[in-house]
Amino acid sequence: MTEFFDILANQAFWVAVLRIATPLILGTLGVLLCERAGVLNLGIEGIMVAGAFSGWLAVYLGAPLGMGVLVAALTGAAFGLLHAFLTVALALSQHVSGLGITLLATSLSYYGYRVSFPKVTTPPTITPFGEMSWIGLPILAQQTLLTLLALVLVPLIGYALYRTPVGLALRMVGENPQAAEGQGVSVAAVRTGAIVAGSSLMGVAGSFLTLSAFNAFFFNMVNGRGWICVALVVFASWRPGKALAGALLFAFFDALQLRLQQSGDALLPYQMYLMLPYVLSIVALILVARKASYPQALMKPYRKGER
Amino acid sequence: MRLEKRHQTSAAALLLAPIGAVLFTLAVSSLLVLWAGAPVGQTYGLLLQGGFGSVFALSETLTRAIPLMLTGLAATVAFKARLFNIGAEGQLYVGALAAIAVGGLHGGTGFALPPALLFVLMMLAAALAGALLLLGPALMKAKLGVDEVVTTLLLNFIVLLLVSWMLDGPMKDPTAMGWPQSVALMGELELSKLIPQTRVHSGLLWGVALAVGLWVLMKYTLLGFDIRAVGANARAAAFAGVKVTRTVVLVAMLSGALAGLAGAIEVAGRTSYLTLDMSPGYGYSGIVIAMLAALHPLGVVAASVFVAGVLVGADSMSRAMGVPTYIADVIVAASLISVLVATLLTQYRPRWR
């Protein structure tokens, strides 16, 4: 038990929590935007891979780090546009389209990596974002700009959703598209915009892995983080503030299991610790199930004039 | 753009749509081949030859098609009832674990039962393990409204870690020089080869038989009717007296069992022991196959041979041309998307206004 408190008293632990939380915050906000507009986006897992790869490749080829993040966002936006075409314009199954995009984005990234580096044994590296020592706040000073971006986006998206006409339109097409159309809101345009914006955030979430957390691209580096974001949005009942809290809580447990695993006298096989984040996600879903307030039109394709 | 429902769709259009979509995909993917600096014609030629061009190529393709057929059927029955089981990967692995637990050579010997009985027990255990793994998410969906997509996806990661733990500990093969692999299956339990000197095994017959069985079930039985009714409109089905929860639970058991069998048949037919890389995503590919087959059990047989052929062909093409094997995954994923669009266009007409 003392060991447990030792871990919590260590500042490095909390630095790790915030670092692990960053891609989850960005990804969860991305899923939130899509789902608030009524569209499930299971493309997230693959879009994060594509963002991680394209952003890293741009920097490797000589672009500045900021440009790498932009490239990742644009890659995400491109896949988002495809998802919007399939699910909004053609009203195809959102589940299947999203899974298709995950498979496509992942395999395209792996293909691109292998074409660009056919015979490497150790992955080539870049110089990632540095720590923000100028910021003068403990814990945050050991993070990078992308973490700051994630934290700033939470109130920004919250404000946009609840205090602006665009946010109102977005929530409306997710709750009652017929009513929105009656008010002169173009359901197709708003949903497309929301998916593209959300998907570019997913791309940025991926780029955090290669441009900040690590300095190289690895296969399987996203490792289910995208799916966890989909669970976190439900846990957060589609609210940005709660999404931040959920991501931090989740990252807390993930960082904790890493420390316990490393603490030498581990009581359990290491796989049990690695399972913890996934088990917790399922438990969280069960806990909130009774009061989960899904956007009313989520997963319901909307065809104008059709009931 | 607006979509207008077509009043009728010709049979020719239904057949040509997927073929056209796959050709379109190959045309687009040729840009990727050019990026890798390889001639397109020769690359596709070698891919086709490596997948279907000889008895050996065909035998490898059929071998690869067996697990894909079973996971494809697992996805088909679940998606028909709108139960989005994305957990076939995990169900396949628990099926394989169960097969090894029942039929493995633990401590050098296995259970002292007649092989025929043990074989039946092994297959039942695998089917049950897969079914039980999906039962949880299905009940959570039916009783609590928890989305099954996320829970089944997360369970895949949990199961893979469970397998990793088993291969490190209780089921570890002590003779494998520290390599994480399970103890071997008892020799008597292995499936026989269909063609000598190849790897095609009688699991293929299992796959085809189960596809026919599922087709009969869907088309001619009351349960099949209930499944289709629940998938078409659960509320209307409930109103008409269909027991929705019961149907969803049965579908989950059936779907999980099929995926679990995929794991057992892969162990008994091909590998004879379990490793962490036994399945390169067969569970996920099963979803693609089910969609390519438009959720028709017999179509799954054809679609799984197509996907397996692309995967196997890419392996041998890659060795000769230096085009990464991931081209196969790109072609399969892009085919899924373009077939979906093409099928939709056979039912709807786009109007630009």
Side-chain angles (χ1 to χ4, degrees):
Chain A
M1 211 56 206
T2 53
E3 189 183 45
F4 181 71
F5 288 111
D6 283 350
I7 291 174
L8 296 193
N10 191 343
Q11 190 179 314
F13 173 76
W14 296 100
V15 172
V17 169
L18 195 51
R19 186 175 58 236
I20 293 171
T22 302
L24 300 176
I25 298 169
L26 290 164
T28 307
L29 289 175
V31 177
L32 189 145
L33 283 181
C34 299
E35 295 200 354
R36 265 300 170 99
V39 181
L40 180 75
N41 191 349
L42 295 180
I44 178 170
E45 182 80 8
I47 293 174
M48 282 180 73
V49 178
F53 172 64
S54 61
W56 174 85
L57 187 68
V59 174
Y60 181 80
L61 296 175
L65 285 162
M67 184 63 85
V69 176
L70 188 67
V71 167
L74 289 175
T75 308
F79 283 110
L81 206 57
L82 178 61
H83 189 54
F85 171 68
L86 296 170
T87 59
V88 178
L90 300 182
L92 286 166
S93 157
Q94 298 177 3
H95 285 104
V96 179
S97 166
L99 288 168
I101 283 175
T102 279
L103 294 173
L104 183 67
T106 307
S107 50
L108 273 175
S109 308
Y110 290 178
Y111 183 81
Y113 183 80
R114 271 282 166 256
V115 169
S116 315
F117 309 95
K119 286 190 178 72
V120 292
T121 42
T122 47
T125 56
I126 52 135
T127 313
F129 279 103
E131 294 179 356
M132 301 183 290
S133 38
W134 45 267
I135 209 161
L137 289 168
I139 297 171
L140 202 57
Q142 280 139 293
Q143 309 293 339
T144 66
L145 269 175
L146 284 175
T147 304
L148 192 62
L149 174 72
L151 293 176
V152 170
L153 276 173
V154 174
L156 222 58
I157 288 180
Y159 180 84
L161 271 180
Y162 293 101
R163 296 279 184 273
T164 66
V166 176
L168 178 65
L170 191 149
R171 286 184 292 132
M172 215 168 157
V173 300
E175 296 289 341
N176 192 338
Q178 283 82 7
E181 199 79 56
Q183 294 285 319
V185 173
S186 162
V187 176
V190 175
R191 283 192 170 175
T192 303
I195 298 169
V196 170
S199 302
S200 47
L201 282 181
M202 296 169 190
V204 175
S207 75
F208 174 83
L209 298 175
T210 46
L211 301 181
S212 183
F214 302 96
N215 57 2
F217 178 79
F218 308 104
F219 291 136
N220 299 322
M221 81 184 303
V222 174
N223 203 16
R225 282 186 180 84
W227 310 132
I228 287 169
C229 291
V230 179
L232 279 176
V233 172
V234 183
F235 181 68
S237 34
W238 293 269
R239 288 175 176 276
K242 286 187 178 176
L244 172 66
L248 286 172
L249 185 68
F250 184 90
F252 168 81
F253 282 112
D254 203 16
L256 191 64
Q257 65 89 6
L258 278 170
R259 295 296 148 115
L260 290 175
Q261 215 187 115
Q262 289 159 355
S263 65
D265 48 22
L267 296 169
L268 300 164
Y270 73 93
Q271 290 95 343
M272 301 289 265
Y273 294 101
L274 289 176
M275 271 182 208
L276 194 69
Y278 306 109
V279 174
L280 280 174
S281 301
I282 294 180
V283 171
L285 284 176
I286 296 172
L287 288 180
V288 300
R290 288 258 177 243
K291 51 182 183 178
S293 52
Y294 282 83
Q296 286 298 304
L298 184 63
M299 290 182 247
K300 294 200 181 93
Y302 174 76
R303 286 198 182 105
K304 205 170 169 177
E306 213 176 83
R307 280 173 179 275
Chain B
M1 193 185 84
R2 216 160 52 80
L3 292 170
E4 193 178 271
K5 199 148 179 71
R6 289 178 200 267
H7 293 298
Q8 53 190 21
T9 304
S10 69
L14 275 178
L15 196 68
L16 286 176
I19 297 172
V22 169
L23 290 177
F24 171 77
T25 302
L26 290 177
V28 175
S29 308
S30 62
L31 293 175
L32 294 174
V33 176
L34 289 175
W35 179 23
V40 174
Q42 202 184 347
T43 301
Y44 281 155
L46 282 178
L47 195 149
L48 198 66
Q49 205 183 345
F52 304 98
S54 64
V55 174
F56 174 74
L58 207 58
S59 76
E60 282 296 294
T61 294
L62 290 176
T63 310
R64 188 82 70 100
I66 295 165
L68 293 173
M69 216 175 277
L70 289 157
T71 54
L73 292 173
T76 297
V77 63
F79 280 41
K80 266 281 184 205
R82 296 189 70 76
L83 174 74
F84 291 100
N85 170 20
I86 324 289
E89 187 77 1
Q91 291 142 22
L92 181 149
Y93 272 107
V94 292
L97 269 183
I100 294 285
V102 171
L105 285 165
H106 303 283
T109 55
F111 290 117
L113 289 173
L117 178 61
L118 204 51
F119 183 83
V120 173
L121 282 180
M122 173 181 79
M123 289 299 186
L124 281 178
L128 193 65
L132 288 179
L133 188 63
L134 185 53
L135 189 60
L139 284 176
M140 279 193 265
K141 176 197 167 90
K143 297 285 176 197
L144 297 170
V146 178
D147 187 37
E148 73 280 19
V149 172
V150 188
T151 46
T152 51
L153 273 168
L154 292 170
L155 275 172
N156 288 343
F157 290 86
I158 294 174
V159 167
L160 219 56
L161 287 163
L162 175 75
V163 171
S164 161
W165 171 33
M166 285 293 156
L167 299 189
D168 262 359
M171 289 193 181
K172 187 182 174 66
D173 183 358
T175 64
M177 320 281 272
W179 202 252
Q181 105 183 12
S182 78
V183 294
L185 201 68
M186 293 168 73
E188 299 94 323
L189 297 180
E190 285 181 17
L191 295 169
S192 54
K193 300 281 178 256
L194 285 183
I195 309 171
Q197 267 114 46
T198 68
R199 300 201 294 169
V200 199
H201 51 85
S202 55
L204 184 64
L205 306 179
W206 282 72
V208 175
L210 286 167
V212 174
L214 189 61
W215 174 67
V216 171
L217 178 108
M218 295 300 293
K219 201 165 160 66
Y220 296 108
T221 69
L222 197 58
L223 177 62
F225 174 81
D226 286 355
I227 292 173
R228 282 180 286 138
V230 168
N233 187 336
R235 278 174 67 187
F239 186 70
V242 175
K243 293 195 177 70
V244 175
T245 303
R246 178 176 159 273
T247 308
V248 169
V249 166
L250 282 175
V251 164
M253 301 290 281
L254 197 57
S255 174
L258 285 164
L261 280 177
I265 287 177
E266 194 64 359
V267 167
R270 192 173 64 88
T271 59
S272 80
Y273 49 80
L274 175 57
T275 57
L276 262 178
D277 57 0
M278 186 180 81
S279 161
Y282 290 142
Y284 302 102
S285 308
I287 297 162
V288 178
I289 286 162
M291 297 316 296
L292 288 179
L295 302 187
H296 193 295
L298 300 181
V300 166
V301 175
S304 60
V305 173
F306 163 72
V307 170
V310 174
L311 295 173
V312 169
D315 276 348
S316 70
M317 176 278 294
S318 177
R319 278 192 292 275
M321 305 298 293
V323 177
T325 52
Y326 291 107
I327 191 80
D329 301 301
V330 177
I331 292 175
V332 169
S335 297
L336 167 68
I337 292 173
S338 43
V339 167
L340 284 177
V341 173
T343 312
L344 183 90
L345 291 181
T346 61
Q347 290 154 3
Y348 288 86
R349 179 183 294 128
R351 285 267 184 238
W352 307 94
R353 191 164 50 78

